[in-house]
Amino acid sequence: MRAAPAARGRSRPRRGGRLLAPVTAALLLVPACQGSEDSRKDREPDPASIQWVRMPREDTSYVFRGLRPVEVTATSTEFLVLGIPHRGTGGLYGSRDGRTWYKTGPEAAFVDHVAATADGATLAGTAPNAGTFVPAVWRSTGKGKWGPAEILAGGGPSDEVLGLAQGPRGTVVVAHDGGPFGEGEPSDDSYRGESLRLWTAGKGAGFGQPYVVACPAWPRLEPRVSVLADAHGFVVSAQCTDKAFASKRVVLTSGDGTTWKSRPELFRGELNGAGATGPRGSVLISHPESGNEEPGAYVSTFWSRGGEETWTAGEPMDVGRLPDHGVTPRKLQSVNGVSAVAGGYIASGRALDALHGQPVGALWTSTDGRRWTKAPTGKNLFHEVYDLYGAAELDGTVIALGVGAAPDSSEEPAPTRLWIGRYGARPALDRPSGLAPFVGTWSWGHGSMVIDAGGRFTYRWRLYRDCATDPAPCDNGPEWGGKATGKLTPDAGGVLRGRLETTNRPDEEGYRRNAAVELRREPYSAIRVTVAGRPHGIFCAGGEADSRCIASHG
């Protein structure tokens, strides 16, 4: 489960562009092992032994270019990452090995949250219904497959889904009926509710009517919600702020998802954030509200529980050891997400780096949820991002995602970086070399290049000439008329070089026979093509899904 105070964007046909406020909590649950707790601990590795390797940007999947991670989790068969793409709405992506990624998720849906266990995943968001959009959930039916939308009973168009958790006793969805939230939303007198709404479903069962509790909220300030589901039941926390900036803290617990009890005394009255549940129990993080003197500065507390229902405060989080990066007082370190992994937990976030006066990525590990050790920042290159947004484990492979500083150019998004980890051994990335990384199909909006294992290539492009009215070469429906072929050879620097051997546009500059061709790899699975010494453009593995490859080429 993760929670973060950053805003994220999404658009709906009925609302136009919108700004989503704080990322709320979601759940990560890994399968419980058989046998006694002591014997399990003897077998399970220590998360502190994970050795991390940052994926080179050239080898990182195009789906991560400009992606702002929201939630990172895993089932027993795949990793799942929910995020906001560059200049796009929310996207869900899956992977079996953490390296090759594919887009997944249901059609005609706006997914806000994902929760996963070994048995599968559940998505929560909004779906079209009777001409509007209302809260809904989708359940996984296999790798990359999702069942139909389950419209939540009693949900309306002003319900904004803010939290989701899935555990041994079922699933809970949390929404607020005061939406839509955000600076760009209407400020007229249209109806806005003032209540949290909780839908629950037992394992394998359907969702009933919502449980409603008062929590006034101003449409410009989205409530902060934290949700956890574990062997003891459910914990839902929220902070709602009205137009007068008066805050209300709500903490609810339930063993069955039907009967809820108000527990304001839990967690010392502090605000809840990220959390997770695994075979060793549950972890939740709390922190006080920051003061006006130091906005955003507070000390986080880790709470944990195992077989007992009572929550116990853990030890203060480790701040690291000099001369590492990001070694700073606890009030200047924050946690975005907590994940259950084999042998314990991983917490991800950031710390202020005193030397450079800016935040750097930070990661902590724990075997029991009470004592947390900070992983080296410089050794793992976590300092090259501003924040780490989540981690997940699948069959001994662990992934972590972080986002760096945005470049000066407004056209380029902030870089999203991916780490791969293994217990006790540095993972081998098996980087392809020579021709191998170039083999395949590369495309842009009006052209494509296919390169085979021998280095031979075929480039096809649109001529904007209709074969019904123009002589050949011309475009005939899906088959584009421009065609050039040749052969490429890698040099010692990993660049492919060759020449055009055949072309059906010999008089067109850049496509003449014997023109020199050069290909270089670009970050996030793309190649840069130069023809006759002139930049020709970028071709992407993701085709038109990659915004770099929509623009016209020279």
Side-chain angles (χ1 to χ4, degrees):
M1 181 170 72
R2 58 157 288 119
R8 55 193 173 102
R10 183 184 68 186
S11 62
R12 298 178 183 172
R14 70 185 180 96
R15 296 175 178 171
R18 58 170 300 170
L19 177 69
L20 286 187
V23 175
T24 56
L27 170 70
L28 173 66
L29 176 65
V30 298
C33 301
Q34 300 297 318
S36 69
E37 183 175 349
D38 289 340
S39 63
R40 185 174 66 236
K41 289 181 179 179
D42 291 339
R43 294 196 305 269
E44 291 176 339
D46 187 339
S49 71
I50 297 174
Q51 295 191 30
W52 299 93
V53 173
R54 190 182 63 182
M55 286 284 289
R57 288 202 300 168
E58 292 80 6
D59 298 334
T60 303
S61 172
Y62 75 93
V63 305
F64 291 117
R65 180 181 178 265
L67 184 78
R68 182 171 190 172
V70 175
E71 292 165 0
V72 184
T73 185
T75 67
S76 62
T77 59
E78 63 182 337
F79 291 107
L80 291 170
V81 171
L82 177 66
I84 305 299
H86 178 52
R87 295 178 178 173
T89 56
L92 183 69
Y93 306 95
S95 173
R96 184 63 185 85
D97 59 5
R99 304 177 189 183
T100 303
W101 292 81
Y102 47 85
K103 187 173 178 58
T104 184
E107 297 294 331
F110 293 92
V111 177
D112 295 318
H113 299 280
V114 55
T117 68
D119 298 327
T122 300
L123 309 176
T126 53
N129 185 53
T132 187
F133 281 76
V134 296
V137 298
W138 297 261
R139 309 190 207 207
S140 61
T141 58
K143 180 183 176 182
K145 299 179 180 179
W146 303 91
E150 300 175 39
I151 303 299
L152 296 177
S158 69
D159 281 302
E160 196 81 0
V161 177
L162 302 175
L164 168 70
Q166 181 173 308
R169 297 196 179 190
T171 304
V172 60
V173 179
V174 181
H176 194 285
D177 60 0
F181 295 98
E183 293 291 337
E185 298 304 338
S187 57
D188 56 24
D189 295 328
S190 58
Y191 172 74
R192 302 289 179 88
E194 296 184 338
S195 301
L196 284 178
R197 293 146 71 73
L198 283 62
W199 286 271
T200 55
K203 193 171 182 179
F207 290 85
Q209 292 290 330
Y211 176 82
V212 179
V213 59
C215 198
W218 186 29
R220 289 179 179 268
L221 195 58
E222 182 174 295
R224 289 191 281 180
V225 172
S226 172
V227 192
L228 181 79
D230 65 7
H232 299 286
F234 308 95
V235 179
V236 173
S237 307
Q239 183 192 29
C240 298
T241 305
D242 62 20
K243 290 185 177 181
F245 292 98
S247 295
K248 179 178 180 179
R249 177 177 175 268
V250 174
V251 180
L252 302 168
T253 63
S254 175
D256 56 8
T258 301
T259 303
W260 293 88
K261 183 178 180 180
S262 177
R263 299 290 304 279
E265 77 283 359
L266 289 180
F267 313 110
R268 299 175 186 157
E270 295 182 342
L271 305 178
N272 283 358
T277 281
R280 295 195 174 188
S282 302
V283 171
L284 264 177
I285 293 178
S286 73
H287 60 80
E289 293 190 63
S290 60
N292 293 330
E293 298 79 11
E294 293 183 284
Y298 47 75
V299 176
S300 297
T301 300
F302 287 89
W303 299 81
S304 61
R305 69 179 181 184
E308 72 288 347
E309 189 173 354
T310 303
W311 291 94
T312 302
E315 297 179 3
M317 60 193 298
D318 179 16
V319 299
R321 286 153 293 282
L322 291 173
D324 199 6
H325 296 269
V327 180
T328 190
R330 294 184 180 94
K331 68 179 180 179
L332 300 178
Q333 307 211 22
S334 62
V335 176
N336 290 322
V338 179
S339 305
V341 297
Y345 309 90
I346 292 176
S348 51
R350 65 181 183 175
L352 183 68
D353 188 70
L355 181 61
H356 299 96
Q358 64 187 26
V360 297
L363 186 143
W364 296 263
T365 62
S366 174
T367 58
D368 58 9
R370 299 183 182 183
R371 294 171 294 274
W372 293 82
T373 301
K374 190 177 182 186
T377 298
K379 172 185 175 182
N380 295 307
L381 303 181
F382 296 146
H383 64 289
E384 295 189 5
V385 295
Y386 272 19
D387 228 331
L388 291 176
Y389 279 89
E393 184 264 341
L394 175 61
D395 294 337
T397 295
V398 191
I399 65 169
L401 285 171
V403 175
D408 294 335
S409 170
S410 60
E411 297 299 318
E412 283 296 315
T416 301
R417 304 305 303 266
L418 171 68
W419 279 262
I420 305 289
R422 294 288 296 180
Y423 291 87
R426 187 177 175 86
L429 294 184
D430 300 324
R431 293 197 68 190
S433 59
L435 280 167
F438 295 89
V439 173
T441 300
W442 307 86
S443 61
W444 62 286
H446 301 290
S448 67
M449 180 178 291
V450 179
I451 304 172
D452 67 19
R456 299 209 63 84
F457 71 90
T458 300
Y459 175 40
R460 302 298 299 257
W461 68 95
R462 186 185 298 278
L463 295 174
Y464 300 100
R465 298 177 60 177
D466 189 345
C467 291
T469 57
D470 296 306
C474 53
D475 303 325
N476 185 14
E479 184 174 335
W480 296 345
K483 183 179 180 180
T485 66
K487 185 174 182 180
L488 299 162
T489 304
D491 65 13
V495 177
L496 296 194
R497 303 182 191 276
R499 294 188 177 275
L500 295 182
E501 296 176 353
T502 68
T503 175
N504 64 356
R505 304 288 288 174
D507 298 327
E508 187 172 338
E509 187 177 3
Y511 298 103
R512 295 190 179 100
R513 186 182 178 195
N514 210 37
V517 180
E518 179 183 285
L519 274 63
R520 295 176 181 268
R521 299 189 70 193
E522 286 285 308
Y524 307 106
S525 301
I527 57 174
R528 184 175 295 275
V529 180
T530 301
V531 180
R534 297 178 58 185
H536 191 72
I538 295 178
F539 289 62
C540 301
E544 293 189 16
D546 191 328
S547 61
R548 290 174 296 180
C549 297
I550 297 176
S552 176
H553 285 194

mmCIF file of all heavy atoms in Angstrom, residues 10 143 148 156 185 244 254 275 320 361 380 399:
data_model
loop_
_atom_site.group_PDB
_atom_site.id
_atom_site.type_symbol
_atom_site.label_atom_id
_atom_site.label_comp_id
_atom_site.label_asym_id
_atom_site.label_seq_id
_atom_site.Cartn_x
_atom_site.Cartn_y
_atom_site.Cartn_z
ATOM 1 N N ARG A 10 -5.969 13.227 -14.561
ATOM 2 C CA ARG A 10 -6.819 12.258 -15.235
ATOM 3 C C ARG A 10 -7.906 13.027 -15.921
ATOM 4 O O ARG A 10 -8.306 14.098 -15.487
ATOM 5 C CB ARG A 10 -7.413 11.283 -14.222
ATOM 6 C CG ARG A 10 -8.260 10.195 -14.869
ATOM 7 C CD ARG A 10 -8.904 9.323 -13.816
ATOM 8 N NE ARG A 10 -9.905 10.057 -13.074
ATOM 9 C CZ ARG A 10 -10.535 9.567 -12.031
ATOM 10 N NH1 ARG A 10 -10.253 8.368 -11.585
ATOM 11 N NH2 ARG A 10 -11.449 10.277 -11.401
ATOM 12 N N LYS A 143 -3.563 -13.681 -16.446
ATOM 13 C CA LYS A 143 -2.524 -12.729 -16.799
ATOM 14 C C LYS A 143 -3.010 -11.786 -17.890
ATOM 15 O O LYS A 143 -3.322 -12.204 -19.003
ATOM 16 C CB LYS A 143 -1.279 -13.476 -17.263
ATOM 17 C CG LYS A 143 -0.125 -12.555 -17.649
ATOM 18 C CD LYS A 143 1.051 -13.354 -18.163
ATOM 19 C CE LYS A 143 2.171 -12.426 -18.636
ATOM 20 N NZ LYS A 143 3.305 -13.194 -19.189
ATOM 21 N N PRO A 148 -15.669 -8.146 -16.388
ATOM 22 C CA PRO A 148 -16.447 -6.942 -16.685
ATOM 23 C C PRO A 148 -16.520 -6.014 -15.481
ATOM 24 O O PRO A 148 -16.273 -6.421 -14.342
ATOM 25 C CB PRO A 148 -17.832 -7.505 -17.032
ATOM 26 C CG PRO A 148 -17.889 -8.813 -16.288
ATOM 27 C CD PRO A 148 -16.502 -9.364 -16.324
ATOM 28 N N GLY A 156 -22.635 7.243 -7.234
ATOM 29 C CA GLY A 156 -23.086 8.307 -8.113
ATOM 30 C C GLY A 156 -21.946 9.001 -8.811
ATOM 31 O O GLY A 156 -20.765 8.728 -8.545
ATOM 32 N N GLU A 185 -11.864 21.916 -11.257
ATOM 33 C CA GLU A 185 -13.249 21.453 -11.229
ATOM 34 C C GLU A 185 -14.211 22.614 -10.998
ATOM 35 O O GLU A 185 -13.848 23.659 -10.481
ATOM 36 C CB GLU A 185 -13.411 20.385 -10.138
ATOM 37 C CG GLU A 185 -12.561 19.159 -10.374
ATOM 38 C CD GLU A 185 -12.804 18.513 -11.728
ATOM 39 O OE1 GLU A 185 -13.887 18.736 -12.313
ATOM 40 O OE2 GLU A 185 -11.923 17.809 -12.219
ATOM 41 N N ALA A 244 -13.799 25.912 5.323
ATOM 42 C CA ALA A 244 -13.237 26.744 6.388
ATOM 43 C C ALA A 244 -11.880 26.227 6.850
ATOM 44 O O ALA A 244 -11.346 26.695 7.856
ATOM 45 C CB ALA A 244 -14.201 26.802 7.568
ATOM 46 N N SER A 254 -12.960 -2.800 11.004
ATOM 47 C CA SER A 254 -14.015 -3.804 10.871
ATOM 48 C C SER A 254 -13.391 -5.172 10.697
ATOM 49 O O SER A 254 -12.371 -5.312 10.007
ATOM 50 C CB SER A 254 -14.905 -3.493 9.663
ATOM 51 O OG SER A 254 -15.868 -4.516 9.459
ATOM 52 N N GLY A 275 1.027 1.588 3.823
ATOM 53 C CA GLY A 275 1.001 0.370 4.619
ATOM 54 C C GLY A 275 1.004 -0.859 3.742
ATOM 55 O O GLY A 275 0.868 -0.766 2.523
ATOM 56 N N GLY A 320 20.322 6.516 7.924
ATOM 57 C CA GLY A 320 21.472 6.235 7.085
ATOM 58 C C GLY A 320 22.783 6.601 7.765
ATOM 59 O O GLY A 320 22.804 7.040 8.917
ATOM 60 N N GLY A 361 16.132 9.904 -3.622
ATOM 61 C CA GLY A 361 15.406 8.680 -3.332
ATOM 62 C C GLY A 361 15.966 7.965 -2.110
ATOM 63 O O GLY A 361 17.174 7.999 -1.853
ATOM 64 N N ASN A 380 23.497 2.469 -4.724
ATOM 65 C CA ASN A 380 22.414 2.006 -5.579
ATOM 66 C C ASN A 380 21.920 3.064 -6.563
ATOM 67 O O ASN A 380 20.961 2.819 -7.300
ATOM 68 C CB ASN A 380 21.249 1.530 -4.716
ATOM 69 C CG ASN A 380 21.598 0.316 -3.888
ATOM 70 O OD1 ASN A 380 22.064 -0.684 -4.425
ATOM 71 N ND2 ASN A 380 21.401 0.391 -2.579
ATOM 72 N N ILE A 399 11.353 -5.167 -7.910
ATOM 73 C CA ILE A 399 11.476 -3.949 -8.711
ATOM 74 C C ILE A 399 11.205 -2.733 -7.831
ATOM 75 O O ILE A 399 10.516 -2.822 -6.812
ATOM 76 C CB ILE A 399 10.507 -3.929 -9.908
ATOM 77 C CG1 ILE A 399 9.042 -3.898 -9.429
ATOM 78 C CG2 ILE A 399 10.759 -5.097 -10.831
ATOM 79 C CD1 ILE A 399 8.044 -3.612 -10.533
#
